[in-house]
Amino acid sequence: MIYADYNATAPIRPEARAAMLAALDVGANPSSVHGPGRAARKLLETARSQVAMAIGARAQDVIFTSGGTEASALALNGIAAQLDGKCTLLVSAIEHEAVMKNAGYAGVAVETVYVTANGQIDLDGLRDRLVRWDADRDGTPVLALMLANNETGVIQRVAEAAAMVREAGGLTHCDAVQGLGKVMVNVNLLGVDYLALSAHKVGGPQGVGALWVRSGAPLKPVLFGGGQERSLRSGTENLSGIAGFGAATEAAIRDMPDLQRLAAQRDAMEARLIADAGITVFGVDADRLPQTSNFAIPGFRAETQVMAMDLAGVAVSSGSACSSGKVKRSLVLSAMGVAGALSDSAIRVSFGWDTKAGDFEAVAEAWLQAARRTVLKPT
């Protein structure tokens, strides 16, 4: 099986596996004050430092969660609670459902910030909305803008958008789940106030994430209990998962130059599919993650492609993998103005740390064989 679905989950890295097993052997609660507890606490804080260093942050500003979804939920709901609901969430049209749905349940006004045809945020539209901002009516502007889109790989102009919002007296939350380990993530250069991360996208375990919060930024907890994680996320920490997260993050940053070199192979794969099948590649005119490609050909439905590729020994996906296994029309592509018939045929291939040299060519060949049986006319 060729695994080409890293944006859904990256296979566990050996460094993460080793760190998790070591943490399991400690077998103590990080909040306990005895020797084993202190050993567990040391592992926890080591992982916190590893994650913080990867994003240019202070360790004390990193809060561990159960994943990227909870990190964004804590940010959006915690901001709204701290501001007593006196804010308006400005949510980009290509956000992950973890952000979109939590924004809808935060109990405050929500507005959509649109994107251009290449999948990047419409900065002119954002600027126009902020110029018309009425603090008495709208409260504090809070922008939710991801760093890199999980479906298309398009990298967003976060620093520029965050600077506009900051000048208007607002706050910015960035979902950087897909960016970590693939492109540089530095909270100071981005200028954001909150940043969500997830372990399993970088080769760590599923069910672990983190929220970075700029010192002094407003945030109230949404879970209450023993006061762990600075009382912002109570509950005994998932020590083995967090240890794996830290080790995977450190390895991902180390290997990032190798991952960047996958862009040339991705581009060659796309060029072959364009030449041989006339596919449409989405986001190709924007900066993209180096290992992600989202493309389509009319008449070849996404679910058919996914099944055909699976039978050929290649794992790919249709859009986001976080929708309970459903194959449905992409909201991201719709926001980019892609016609429904073409959107219904879009699949995503994504590669990563364990991708082999010939995987791109093998994926292209498998896809072409499936397309020739279905939609391509014999030459």
Side-chain angles (χ1 to χ4, degrees):
M1 173 67 73
I2 294 174
Y3 189 74
D5 201 17
Y6 275 74
N7 285 13
T9 285
I12 192 97
R13 290 176 180 267
E15 297 91 344
R17 186 189 303 274
M20 293 174 71
L21 291 174
L24 288 170
D25 285 341
V26 171
N29 192 315
S31 296
S32 298
V33 297
H34 47 58
R38 294 196 302 275
R41 171 60 60 178
K42 183 177 180 180
L43 291 178
L44 181 71
E45 297 308 325
T46 295
R48 198 187 309 276
S49 295
Q50 289 170 315
V51 173
M53 287 181 64
I55 60 173
R58 303 187 309 169
Q60 59 262 42
D61 295 330
V62 172
I63 303 161
F64 286 117
T65 67
S66 66
T69 295
E70 188 193 341
S72 286
L74 173 56
L76 298 177
N77 290 283
I79 294 167
Q82 187 67 59
L83 297 179
D84 295 323
K86 297 175 182 177
C87 62
T88 296
L89 297 179
L90 302 173
V91 181
S92 90
I94 46 84
E95 292 301 301
H96 192 280
E97 286 186 328
V99 169
M100 285 191 172
K101 290 186 176 180
N102 274 293
Y105 283 100
V108 299
V110 181
E111 297 181 12
T112 300
V113 181
Y114 296 102
V115 298
T116 61
N118 67 5
Q120 290 183 312
I121 185 172
D122 181 355
L123 291 177
D124 290 335
L126 175 62
R127 184 182 294 106
D128 290 344
R129 178 62 185 95
L130 293 173
V131 166
R132 296 182 287 104
W133 201 266
D134 184 327
D136 291 333
R137 181 191 67 223
D138 302 322
T140 300
V142 180
L143 174 67
L145 178 62
M146 59 174 29
L147 179 59
N149 186 260
N150 51 300
E151 295 185 31
T152 63
V154 170
I155 298 170
Q156 298 300 313
R157 298 160 70 180
V158 174
E160 294 173 74
M164 290 182 191
V165 174
R166 185 170 60 252
E167 186 176 349
L171 303 161
T172 298
H173 169 61
C174 180
D175 169 3
V177 164
Q178 287 294 343
L180 183 64
K182 300 170 186 172
V183 293
M184 185 177 70
V185 181
N186 185 294
V187 292
N188 300 299
L189 295 177
L190 291 172
V192 298
D193 302 283
Y194 313 85
L195 187 128
L197 301 168
S198 180
H200 73 107
K201 306 297 187 180
V202 294
Q206 298 169 349
V208 184
L211 177 68
W212 170 82
V213 183
R214 185 177 297 282
S215 179
L219 189 72
K220 271 190 177 180
V222 295
L223 291 176
F224 302 90
Q228 293 88 348
E229 299 300 300
R230 293 168 38 207
S231 293
L232 289 170
R233 202 280 184 183
S234 288
T236 300
E237 293 93 344
N238 175 4
L239 182 61
S240 63
I242 289 169
F245 185 12
T249 300
E250 188 173 75
I253 299 304
R254 178 199 67 205
D255 294 343
M256 196 161 64
D258 293 330
L259 193 76
Q260 291 287 332
R261 285 191 281 270
L262 295 182
Q265 298 178 60
R266 186 271 314 274
D267 293 347
M269 178 193 72
E270 291 177 347
R272 181 186 176 190
L273 295 180
I274 291 171
D276 291 357
I279 65 165
T280 296
V281 180
F282 302 110
V284 70
D285 294 326
D287 289 336
R288 290 183 293 163
L289 296 175
Q291 42 60 263
T292 301
S293 179
N294 190 304
F295 59 86
I297 185 171
F300 197 6
R301 291 188 63 86
E303 57 266 39
T304 303
Q305 295 179 66
V306 171
M307 289 186 290
M309 295 289 275
D310 188 46
L311 290 172
V314 180
V316 301
S317 68
S318 169
S320 174
C322 301
S323 302
S324 300
K326 300 174 184 176
V327 175
K328 58 184 181 181
R329 182 170 293 172
S330 167
L331 296 177
V332 171
L333 296 184
S334 295
M336 293 167 63
V338 177
L342 191 59
S343 178
D344 289 341
S345 299
I347 66 165
R348 179 190 69 193
V349 295
S350 51
F351 303 86
W353 71 268
D354 199 32
T355 294
K356 305 299 187 296
D359 285 356
F360 286 89
E361 186 66 20
V363 168
E365 183 59 34
W367 187 89
L368 284 167
Q369 288 185 18
R372 289 179 185 122
R373 293 192 297 268
T374 308
V375 292
L376 295 183
K377 297 179 181 179
T379 56

